[in-house]
Each structure stands twice: as C-alpha cells, then as structure tokens.
Amino acid sequence: MSIRHIEHDDLALFAMQLLSPEEMQAAAAHIEDCPECRQNLAEIQGNLALYASTVDMEAPRAEARERLLAQVAKEKKPAFVAAAAETELPNRSFGGRALLEEEETAPRRGIGGMIFPWLGWVLAACFLVAAGKLYFQRETMIGTLDEQRSQIAQLTNDATKAREIMDTMTDPTAMHVTLTKTPSEPVTQGRVTYVANKGMLIFEANNMEPLEPNKVYELWLIPASGSDPIPAGTFHPDEHGNASLLMPTLPKEIQAKAFGVTIENEGGSQKPTLPIIMAGV
C-alpha cells in the first residue's frame, strides 16, 4: 500500500513558516511520522540556509507572503485524494486537502528554481552597481591624488627657490654691488647680490628706460681673472621701469670684478654689445 507524502512546494512553505497555523500543525504531525518527508524537508532547509548565507534575508512582509502563496497556488498540481483507508497513516487533512500519493508524482523542482528565480539577477545587478560605485570612487581618488602630488611638487619647488634667495641675501660672503647710469632724472639704479662659491645671483633695478621692440636688457658678470664677460641673463622692465633677475644659471667659484648691463636683440647674446649702459664694481 502506497504512503502519501507532503508536496515539495508545501514542504518549502513549511520550512519558511509561511503556512497557516492549522496547516503547520498538520504538516508537523505528518513529518514526525514520515522519514522521507523529513529527509526532503532537511534538503529544503539546507538550500534555504545556503541562500541565506549569500544574501541578507529579512522577514517577509504580509503582502509579500500573500503574493508568494498566490504564486505557489498557480503551480499545476495533481488532484488530491482522500482515500484514508488505503494507508496505515491517519487521514490528516492539509489545508483542507488530502496528502498526495507517492505514485505518479510529478518531478519535483528545486527550491531555488521554484521560489528564487530572480535571485541571480538581483545579485548580479547589485554587484554591477557596487562595482560601478567603486570604480567611480577609485577614479576620483586617483584624480585627487594626482592633483595633490602636483601641488606638493610646486610647493616644494617654491620653497626651494625661496630658501636659495634667502641664503643668497643673507650669505656673509655675498658681494653687494650697486649699478648706476649717467646721472639723469630719474636716476636708473641696479643692485647685484652675488655669492661666488655657490654661483647664486640676485639683480634688481629701477627707473629703467623702456626698450624698442625685439630688444632686451642683458646682465654681464665680468670675471676678476680677465676672461670674457659671462652672460647672466636677460630681462624686461615693467611699465614703472622696475626689473629683476633671480637666480640665473651661473658657474660656481667665479670671482667677479664688475657687473654690467647692455641692450641686446631678443634672446640675448654671448658677447656684450657696446655701449655698456650700466656698470658697477
């Protein structure tokens, strides 16, 4: 004589505590006496535990439970029979229905395919959203780091330049020379601060006359050794006649006899063009 068993779908609802109290009581009584239903229930509970370990599970709301029960009710099921005399088990009703016979039972579907067909798509969408957010945050952080590196490099260069200027101005071995032009009104003056052993030089001038187009002023270092004058850099005065030349590239250990200024073509020259309009010793 065949033994009736609880449907796989109803076992799933029993495992999730989604049956009515009467159905839960009837199912529990049958499972207690039926080893096969207990085994099927254990498999379903294992599947549910696996899903619960991969996503955050929450207690379903009342309307969610109703939709789930309605969906399960749409599944095609064999007719229930109520031949209690054909089994040694008591004829327990299950939600107003008799338990199915094991004979000619339709193939059972896995709990994942029955209840969670959408779970994979939801997880994939969540992963895509999270990955996009992480990528955007990474690109933003990289851009911020690059900008900060550039700012740090600029500040480092500025600090180095300022330190060199301060060292030149305060060096006890610095040579301070004032350059003047033939007396006129206003008087054109230039001042040189030069540290020979470091090759550091600062030049400042005021009341410089404006230049013709494509012309520049050029400062010259005249070595004490009598060798050719060394170009120290070109400059243009501003609209007020003020000009400066800070830390041009010069060889070290060149002792200076004097300094001079000439007018050269744009770009400067390697040899001074006479006359020397400003000079200082």
Side-chain angles (χ1 to χ4, degrees), residues 25-49:
Q25 183 177 3
H30 173 77
I31 292 171
E32 182 179 356
D33 297 331
C34 180
E36 182 173 343
C37 288
R38 285 200 301 273
Q39 181 179 355
N40 292 338
L41 177 62
E43 293 177 358
I44 292 173
Q45 290 173 332
N47 289 335
L48 290 174

Side-chain angles (χ1 to χ4, degrees), residues 45-139:
Q45 290 173 332
N47 289 335
L48 290 174
L50 178 61
Y51 282 114
S53 67
T54 58
V55 297
D56 295 333
M57 302 294 288
E58 299 180 358
R61 295 174 297 180
E63 58 268 25
R65 178 181 181 274
E66 295 299 329
R67 288 198 301 270
L68 181 60
L69 291 176
Q71 180 63 30
V72 172
K74 293 179 182 179
E75 297 288 334
K76 184 177 180 181
K77 302 174 183 178
F80 289 92
V81 294
E86 295 180 5
T87 176
E88 298 176 359
L89 292 174
N91 184 15
R92 299 189 182 102
S93 62
F94 189 71
R97 297 170 298 180
L99 297 177
L100 283 176
E101 289 187 351
E102 186 181 27
E103 299 174 356
E104 300 182 358
T105 300
R108 297 171 180 175
R109 296 163 53 189
I111 182 64
M114 177 185 67
I115 301 177
F116 300 107
W118 39 263
L119 183 59
W121 292 103
V122 172
L123 290 176
C126 293
F127 287 142
L128 287 176
V129 171
K133 183 176 181 181
L134 289 175
Y135 177 80
F136 176 76
Q137 292 176 344
R138 174 180 175 275
E139 293 300 311

Side-chain angles (χ1 to χ4, degrees), residues 29-266:
H30 173 77
I31 292 171
E32 182 179 356
D33 297 331
C34 180
E36 182 173 343
C37 288
R38 285 200 301 273
Q39 181 179 355
N40 292 338
L41 177 62
E43 293 177 358
I44 292 173
Q45 290 173 332
N47 289 335
L48 290 174
L50 178 61
Y51 282 114
S53 67
T54 58
V55 297
D56 295 333
M57 302 294 288
E58 299 180 358
R61 295 174 297 180
E63 58 268 25
R65 178 181 181 274
E66 295 299 329
R67 288 198 301 270
L68 181 60
L69 291 176
Q71 180 63 30
V72 172
K74 293 179 182 179
E75 297 288 334
K76 184 177 180 181
K77 302 174 183 178
F80 289 92
V81 294
E86 295 180 5
T87 176
E88 298 176 359
L89 292 174
N91 184 15
R92 299 189 182 102
S93 62
F94 189 71
R97 297 170 298 180
L99 297 177
L100 283 176
E101 289 187 351
E102 186 181 27
E103 299 174 356
E104 300 182 358
T105 300
R108 297 171 180 175
R109 296 163 53 189
I111 182 64
M114 177 185 67
I115 301 177
F116 300 107
W118 39 263
L119 183 59
W121 292 103
V122 172
L123 290 176
C126 293
F127 287 142
L128 287 176
V129 171
K133 183 176 181 181
L134 289 175
Y135 177 80
F136 176 76
Q137 292 176 344
R138 174 180 175 275
E139 293 300 311
T140 302
M141 291 178 63
I142 290 176
T144 302
L145 289 175
D146 290 341
E147 182 178 354
Q148 291 178 348
R149 290 193 191 99
S150 177
Q151 293 176 351
I152 291 172
Q154 183 63 43
L155 291 173
T156 302
N157 291 336
D158 293 345
T160 301
K161 195 78 169 181
R163 185 168 54 251
E164 291 177 349
I165 292 174
M166 182 62 68
D167 290 344
T168 302
M169 296 291 294
T170 60
D171 196 304
T173 65
M175 179 180 182
H176 300 273
V177 179
T178 299
L179 285 70
T180 61
K181 187 180 179 182
T182 303
S184 61
E185 293 295 332
V187 177
T188 301
Q189 289 186 333
R191 292 171 297 279
V192 172
T193 300
Y194 176 62
V195 181
N197 62 346
K198 296 180 180 179
M200 295 181 174
L201 181 144
I202 298 174
F203 170 78
E204 296 175 293
N206 52 36
N207 299 321
M208 300 288 292
E209 295 180 358
L211 293 168
E212 297 178 359
N214 300 321
K215 294 291 183 179
V216 294
Y217 287 112
E218 186 162 12
L219 177 67
W220 300 89
L221 186 156
I222 302 173
S225 64
S227 57
D228 294 336
I230 299 173
T234 61
F235 58 93
H236 289 88
D238 60 17
E239 64 271 19
H240 303 294
N242 300 319
S244 63
L245 187 62
L246 304 177
M247 312 306 293
T249 303
L250 291 172
K252 298 179 181 180
E253 306 296 338
I254 301 296
Q255 298 300 321
K257 177 182 178 181
F259 293 88
V261 174
T262 62
I263 297 176
E264 306 291 344
N265 292 327
E266 189 74 40

